[in-house]
Amino acid sequence: MRTPVRRLFLPFFAITSATLLLTACGSGSGGADASGGAAASDEVPTADVVSAEKKDDAVAGLLPAGTRSLTVAVSVGGTPPGTTYLSDGRTLTGQDVDVTKAVANVLGVRLKVEQASFEAILPALDSGKYDVGASNFGVTDERRRTIDFVTYINDGQGFATREDSRLAEITDLNQLCGLNVATGAGTTFEATLEAGRHVCTDAGEKAYEVQTYAESGAVWSSLQQGRSDVVMSTINGLRYAVAHQPGLKFLNEFHRLDVGFAFKKGTRLAPAFRAAVNKLIADGTYDRILKKWGTSGSALTTSRISPPELRD
């Protein structure tokens, strides 16, 4: 079941209790490009590192004339550093949330926050339903054909499994032959796995099975309960999960990707967002956000508009 979209006319990221009940029925980041992990709500960092950020008139001047508010789509249901809830059950938090709020402060715009399933956000940008997507979207050449991006962090694809697994570093998908691989629906991980399924049959081996889930909790449950053998998700999300959930081990990074805000192709918002991210990098707010979420190793030195996909 897909969660009904809720529009929140708020200058901050908060969710009503009614919306929280709805999320239990459907959408989530799903260990997707949106970070997957596992942690209790009282383990979520709560430091305020963005509210002191003020409007920069020069940067705000790059917005299209008359821009006062923007509709941002987020996928909720992940765990840190991805988008999740604070202990009040209504306030959204996470690395993407902090970066988005800080950019909005620099631009002096109000955010209309809408929830959507991860896989629904990118297709809806072209229709104008949303102005921007903020759910840890990896920048790929395939996506760049129809989507514009403004980068704000470097993350990517990796693998994790149970501590008792014999699996070691996975450098080639043929090492997965015959295994069950859990990942998020509509993600770069699913696309990578589906595109590579032939490597097993080409070698005369049994193909691996791709198990997709709409919520990150389901991904980890499948691993812990033995229904899957390995998880493919974001590097930062996997590292967080291993640090906060017993019985897991991080295997390795597989493919690095820049991550960015997503927009309709040809958007006029991109120069302003790029300048805003670069302002955050220059004034130290960006560094504080990444330190809060333990992702300083994924820092960018500058934001770019729709750069080519990183190739290892």
Side-chain angles (χ1 to χ4, degrees), residues 128-286:
K129 185 175 184 178
Y130 312 125
D131 297 306
V132 56
S135 286
N136 207 70
F137 289 107
V139 181
T140 68
D141 289 339
E142 176 67 24
R143 285 176 171 172
R144 288 193 309 131
R145 294 181 182 137
T146 56
I147 299 293
D148 280 343
F149 293 94
V150 172
T151 60
Y152 58 86
I153 199 167
N154 174 264
D155 196 345
Q157 305 173 336
F159 292 97
T161 188
R162 295 181 300 275
E163 280 185 341
D164 61 1
S165 173
R166 295 181 180 180
L167 285 173
E169 183 177 12
I170 296 173
T171 58
D172 194 293
L173 295 182
N174 60 21
Q175 294 170 260
L176 300 174
C177 296
L179 301 180
N180 294 322
V181 187
T183 195
T187 65
T188 61
F189 319 117
E190 181 184 9
T192 296
L193 291 167
E194 291 293 351
R197 285 172 65 95
H198 66 90
V199 300
C200 296
T201 54
D202 288 352
E205 299 185 55
K206 182 181 178 181
Y208 52 77
E209 293 296 325
V210 182
Q211 301 172 329
T212 58
Y213 298 90
E215 296 182 354
S216 59
V219 173
W220 294 109
S221 293
S222 74
L223 182 66
Q224 291 173 325
Q225 295 171 11
R227 297 193 306 276
S228 61
D229 302 295
V230 62
V231 168
M232 188 179 192
S233 188
T234 67
I235 294 166
N236 288 331
L238 293 174
R239 290 190 186 280
Y240 195 98
V242 169
H244 292 82
Q245 186 173 193
L248 300 178
K249 64 179 178 181
F250 180 77
L251 293 179
N252 62 285
E253 297 182 7
F254 184 71
H255 176 45
R256 278 274 175 178
L257 284 173
D258 285 330
V259 168
F261 294 108
F263 305 87
K264 177 180 180 178
K265 194 71 176 175
T267 180
R268 295 171 58 203
L269 296 172
F273 269 71
R274 176 181 58 184
V277 174
N278 285 332
K279 170 68 163 50
L280 299 176
I281 293 173
D283 69 18
T285 298
Y286 178 78

